[in-house]
Amino acid sequence: MRKVEHIGIAVKDLANANELFTKLFNQANYKLESVQSEGVSTSFFKVGETKIELLEATNENSSIAKFIEKRGEGIHHIAFEVEDIDSEMQRLQAEGFQLINQNPKDGADNKRICFLHPKSINGVLIELCQEKAK
Ligand code: ZN
Protein backbone atom coordinates (compact mmCIF):
# COMPACT_ATOMS: atom_id res chain seq x y z
CA MET A 1 0.00 0.00 0.00
CA ARG A 2 1.26 3.42 -0.91
CA LYS A 3 -0.39 5.92 1.40
CA VAL A 4 -3.61 6.94 3.07
CA GLU A 5 -5.62 8.15 0.11
CA HIS A 6 -8.58 9.42 2.07
CA ILE A 7 -10.52 9.14 5.30
CA GLY A 8 -14.27 8.63 5.07
CA ILE A 9 -16.55 10.32 7.58
CA ALA A 10 -20.22 9.41 7.92
CA VAL A 11 -22.47 12.45 8.37
CA LYS A 12 -26.22 12.89 8.76
CA ASP A 13 -26.46 16.15 6.86
CA LEU A 14 -23.97 16.72 4.06
CA ALA A 15 -24.83 20.39 3.54
CA ASN A 16 -24.21 21.15 7.22
CA ALA A 17 -21.06 19.06 7.36
CA ASN A 18 -19.77 20.78 4.23
CA GLU A 19 -20.09 24.16 5.87
CA LEU A 20 -18.41 22.95 9.01
CA PHE A 21 -15.46 21.29 7.26
CA THR A 22 -15.04 24.30 4.97
CA LYS A 23 -14.54 26.39 8.12
CA LEU A 24 -12.30 23.75 9.67
CA PHE A 25 -9.96 23.53 6.69
CA ASN A 26 -10.45 27.15 5.63
CA GLN A 27 -11.08 25.98 2.07
CA ALA A 28 -14.04 24.69 0.11
CA ASN A 29 -14.60 21.11 -1.04
CA TYR A 30 -13.39 20.37 -4.56
CA LYS A 31 -16.00 17.85 -5.54
CA LEU A 32 -19.55 16.68 -4.85
CA GLU A 33 -20.45 13.27 -6.20
CA SER A 34 -23.26 10.78 -5.75
CA VAL A 35 -22.59 7.06 -6.01
CA GLN A 36 -26.00 5.65 -6.81
CA SER A 37 -24.99 2.00 -6.38
CA GLU A 38 -23.79 2.70 -2.83
CA GLY A 39 -26.68 4.98 -1.87
CA VAL A 40 -24.35 7.82 -0.88
CA SER A 41 -23.66 11.44 -1.63
CA THR A 42 -20.06 12.41 -1.08
CA SER A 43 -18.07 15.58 -0.72
CA PHE A 44 -14.29 15.70 -1.02
CA PHE A 45 -11.77 18.01 0.61
CA LYS A 46 -8.05 17.94 0.11
CA VAL A 47 -5.68 18.52 2.99
CA GLY A 48 -2.10 18.16 1.86
CA GLU A 49 -1.75 14.71 0.29
CA THR A 50 -4.82 13.31 2.03
CA LYS A 51 -8.44 13.68 1.11
CA ILE A 52 -11.39 13.76 3.44
CA GLU A 53 -14.57 12.18 2.10
CA LEU A 54 -17.84 13.15 3.76
CA LEU A 55 -20.55 10.57 3.20
CA GLU A 56 -24.29 11.03 3.55
CA ALA A 57 -26.81 8.24 2.98
CA THR A 58 -29.30 8.81 0.19
CA ASN A 59 -31.56 5.96 1.26
CA GLU A 60 -32.18 3.99 4.45
CA ASN A 61 -30.60 0.79 3.07
CA SER A 62 -27.30 2.51 2.45
CA SER A 63 -24.38 1.19 4.50
CA ILE A 64 -23.88 4.76 5.74
CA ALA A 65 -27.44 4.89 7.11
CA LYS A 66 -26.87 1.60 8.91
CA PHE A 67 -23.51 2.72 10.25
CA ILE A 68 -24.96 5.95 11.68
CA GLU A 69 -27.87 4.09 13.20
CA LYS A 70 -25.51 1.69 14.97
CA ARG A 71 -22.55 3.87 15.85
CA GLY A 72 -23.53 7.47 15.18
CA GLU A 73 -21.67 9.95 13.01
CA GLY A 74 -17.91 9.74 12.78
CA ILE A 75 -14.98 8.12 11.06
CA HIS A 76 -16.34 5.41 8.79
CA HIS A 77 -13.35 4.09 6.88
CA ILE A 78 -9.72 4.61 5.99
CA ALA A 79 -8.79 4.24 2.33
CA PHE A 80 -5.34 3.18 1.18
CA GLU A 81 -4.07 3.69 -2.30
CA VAL A 82 -2.73 0.56 -3.96
CA GLU A 83 -0.91 0.13 -7.21
CA ASP A 84 -2.71 -3.01 -8.37
CA ILE A 85 -6.00 -3.65 -6.60
CA ASP A 86 -6.52 -7.11 -8.10
CA SER A 87 -3.23 -8.51 -6.85
CA GLU A 88 -3.58 -6.74 -3.50
CA MET A 89 -7.05 -8.28 -3.00
CA GLN A 90 -5.64 -11.70 -3.77
CA ARG A 91 -2.77 -11.22 -1.38
CA LEU A 92 -4.99 -10.03 1.47
CA GLN A 93 -7.51 -12.79 0.98
CA ALA A 94 -4.69 -15.33 1.13
CA GLU A 95 -3.59 -13.67 4.40
CA GLY A 96 -7.05 -14.35 5.83
CA PHE A 97 -8.66 -10.93 5.55
CA GLN A 98 -12.30 -10.93 4.61
CA LEU A 99 -13.17 -8.99 1.45
CA ILE A 100 -16.64 -7.44 1.40
CA ASN A 101 -16.75 -7.45 -2.39
CA GLN A 102 -14.99 -10.17 -4.36
CA ASN A 103 -14.43 -7.98 -7.39
CA PRO A 104 -13.30 -4.35 -7.46
CA LYS A 105 -16.20 -1.97 -7.94
CA ASP A 106 -16.53 1.63 -9.06
CA GLY A 107 -16.17 4.15 -6.28
CA ALA A 108 -16.32 7.92 -6.12
CA ASP A 109 -13.48 10.07 -7.42
CA ASN A 110 -12.54 7.88 -10.40
CA LYS A 111 -11.48 4.85 -8.37
CA ARG A 112 -11.73 1.08 -8.41
CA ILE A 113 -12.34 0.08 -4.83
CA CYS A 114 -12.71 -2.87 -2.48
CA PHE A 115 -13.65 -2.96 1.19
CA LEU A 116 -12.18 -5.27 3.81
CA HIS A 117 -14.51 -6.41 6.56
CA PRO A 118 -13.93 -4.60 9.87
CA LYS A 119 -14.46 -7.91 11.69
CA SER A 120 -11.15 -9.10 10.30
CA ILE A 121 -9.22 -5.89 11.14
CA ASN A 122 -9.87 -4.80 14.72
CA GLY A 123 -13.15 -3.09 13.91
CA VAL A 124 -11.68 -0.81 11.23
CA LEU A 125 -13.33 -0.68 7.83
CA ILE A 126 -10.55 -0.45 5.26
CA GLU A 127 -10.95 0.53 1.63
CA LEU A 128 -8.40 -0.25 -1.03
CA CYS A 129 -8.46 2.09 -3.99
CA GLN A 130 -6.73 2.34 -7.28
CA GLU A 131 -7.01 5.34 -9.54
CA LYS A 132 -8.65 4.38 -12.84
CA ALA A 133 -6.69 5.09 -15.95
CA LYS A 134 -8.04 8.30 -17.51
ZN1 ZN B 1 -13.89 6.02 0.57
Side-chain angles (χ1 to χ4, degrees), residues 85 89 98-105 112-116 126-130:
I85 196 167
M89 284 168 69
Q98 194 184 328
L99 308 181
I100 293 181
N101 46 299
Q102 294 302 314
N103 294 302
K105 55 184 182 178
R112 297 172 75 212
I113 65 168
C114 172
F115 284 102
L116 306 179
I126 287 184
E127 174 185 342
L128 306 177
C129 60
Q130 179 187 0

XYZ file of all heavy atoms in Angstrom, residues 85 89 98-105 112-116 126-130:
166
model
N -4.980 -3.209 -7.566
C -6.001 -3.653 -6.605
C -6.287 -5.152 -6.725
O -6.515 -5.819 -5.722
C -7.291 -2.795 -6.729
C -8.170 -2.978 -5.488
C -8.057 -3.114 -8.007
C -9.280 -1.958 -5.371
N -5.895 -7.546 -3.532
C -7.053 -8.276 -3.001
C -6.724 -9.760 -2.850
O -7.078 -10.382 -1.847
C -8.262 -8.093 -3.928
C -8.918 -6.719 -3.797
S -10.107 -6.379 -5.118
C -11.420 -7.527 -4.720
N -11.025 -10.682 5.272
C -12.296 -10.933 4.611
C -12.641 -9.757 3.691
O -12.759 -8.619 4.145
C -13.370 -11.099 5.701
C -14.659 -11.673 5.199
C -15.694 -11.714 6.329
O -15.352 -11.882 7.497
N -16.950 -11.536 5.971
N -12.785 -10.039 2.403
C -13.168 -8.993 1.453
C -14.691 -8.855 1.445
O -15.405 -9.852 1.454
C -12.706 -9.351 0.033
C -11.229 -9.721 -0.161
C -10.951 -10.011 -1.632
C -10.324 -8.621 0.348
N -15.180 -7.632 1.435
C -16.635 -7.438 1.395
C -17.139 -7.641 -0.030
O -18.182 -8.235 -0.249
C -17.026 -6.053 1.954
C -16.711 -6.038 3.451
C -18.496 -5.743 1.694
C -17.053 -4.760 4.162
N -16.388 -7.138 -0.998
C -16.751 -7.446 -2.391
C -15.614 -8.256 -3.037
O -14.442 -7.952 -2.826
C -17.079 -6.189 -3.187
C -16.076 -5.055 -2.997
O -15.879 -4.555 -1.888
N -15.437 -4.656 -4.062
N -15.983 -9.244 -3.787
C -14.994 -10.173 -4.362
C -14.344 -9.616 -5.626
O -13.279 -10.085 -6.032
C -15.645 -11.521 -4.668
C -16.108 -12.269 -3.420
C -14.978 -12.529 -2.431
O -13.905 -12.957 -2.816
N -15.231 -12.241 -1.147
N -14.993 -8.638 -6.216
C -14.427 -7.975 -7.388
C -14.367 -6.476 -7.107
O -15.239 -5.948 -6.426
C -15.296 -8.225 -8.620
C -15.294 -9.684 -9.038
O -14.239 -10.257 -9.309
N -16.456 -10.296 -9.042
N -13.356 -5.809 -7.644
C -13.300 -4.354 -7.456
C -14.547 -3.707 -8.035
O -15.088 -4.180 -9.036
C -12.065 -3.940 -8.265
C -11.262 -5.160 -8.446
C -12.227 -6.305 -8.468
N -15.031 -2.666 -7.383
C -16.195 -1.967 -7.940
C -15.866 -0.498 -8.114
O -14.844 -0.017 -7.618
C -17.416 -2.182 -7.050
C -17.210 -1.785 -5.617
C -18.446 -2.144 -4.808
C -18.282 -1.706 -3.347
N -19.462 -1.984 -2.550
N -11.271 2.459 -8.611
C -11.728 1.081 -8.413
C -11.463 0.783 -6.937
O -10.369 1.058 -6.442
C -10.937 0.100 -9.277
C -11.095 0.316 -10.762
C -10.131 -0.575 -11.508
N -10.589 -1.966 -11.492
C -9.761 -3.027 -11.498
N -8.464 -2.854 -11.502
N -10.252 -4.250 -11.506
N -12.478 0.244 -6.288
C -12.343 0.077 -4.835
C -12.749 -1.306 -4.358
O -13.458 -2.054 -5.048
C -13.189 1.127 -4.063
C -14.685 0.917 -4.327
C -12.773 2.537 -4.426
C -15.566 1.711 -3.374
N -12.290 -1.647 -3.157
C -12.710 -2.866 -2.482
C -12.663 -2.594 -0.985
O -11.764 -1.898 -0.513
C -11.752 -4.003 -2.822
S -12.077 -5.493 -1.847
N -13.644 -3.117 -0.251
C -13.653 -2.957 1.194
C -13.264 -4.256 1.881
O -13.610 -5.347 1.411
C -15.042 -2.524 1.676
C -15.341 -1.069 1.415
C -16.150 -0.700 0.347
C -14.820 -0.078 2.231
C -16.427 0.643 0.094
C -15.084 1.262 1.991
C -15.890 1.617 0.928
N -12.530 -4.121 2.977
C -12.181 -5.267 3.810
C -13.070 -5.220 5.046
O -13.288 -4.147 5.621
C -10.716 -5.196 4.236
C -9.689 -5.055 3.113
C -8.283 -4.966 3.713
C -9.768 -6.232 2.155
N -11.634 -0.910 6.124
C -10.547 -0.446 5.260
C -10.954 -0.555 3.800
O -11.556 -1.540 3.374
C -9.259 -1.240 5.552
C -8.704 -0.761 6.906
C -8.210 -1.042 4.442
C -7.410 -1.339 7.320
N -10.667 0.490 3.071
C -10.947 0.526 1.633
C -9.615 0.508 0.890
O -8.678 1.212 1.277
C -11.712 1.827 1.303
C -11.951 2.065 -0.179
C -12.612 3.427 -0.451
O -13.185 4.034 0.468
O -12.536 3.885 -1.605
N -9.543 -0.311 -0.132
C -8.402 -0.250 -1.034
C -8.875 0.535 -2.242
O -10.009 0.358 -2.694
C -8.009 -1.655 -1.515
C -7.744 -2.714 -0.451
C -7.449 -4.045 -1.125
C -6.605 -2.292 0.459
N -8.042 1.399 -2.780
C -8.458 2.088 -3.985
C -7.313 2.266 -4.961
O -6.158 2.452 -4.572
C -9.141 3.406 -3.672
S -8.148 4.580 -2.796
N -7.678 2.156 -6.197
C -6.728 2.336 -7.282
C -7.329 3.337 -8.250
O -8.495 3.197 -8.659
C -6.486 0.980 -7.981
C -5.525 1.086 -9.146
C -5.421 -0.221 -9.935
O -6.059 -1.215 -9.622
N -4.612 -0.197 -10.970
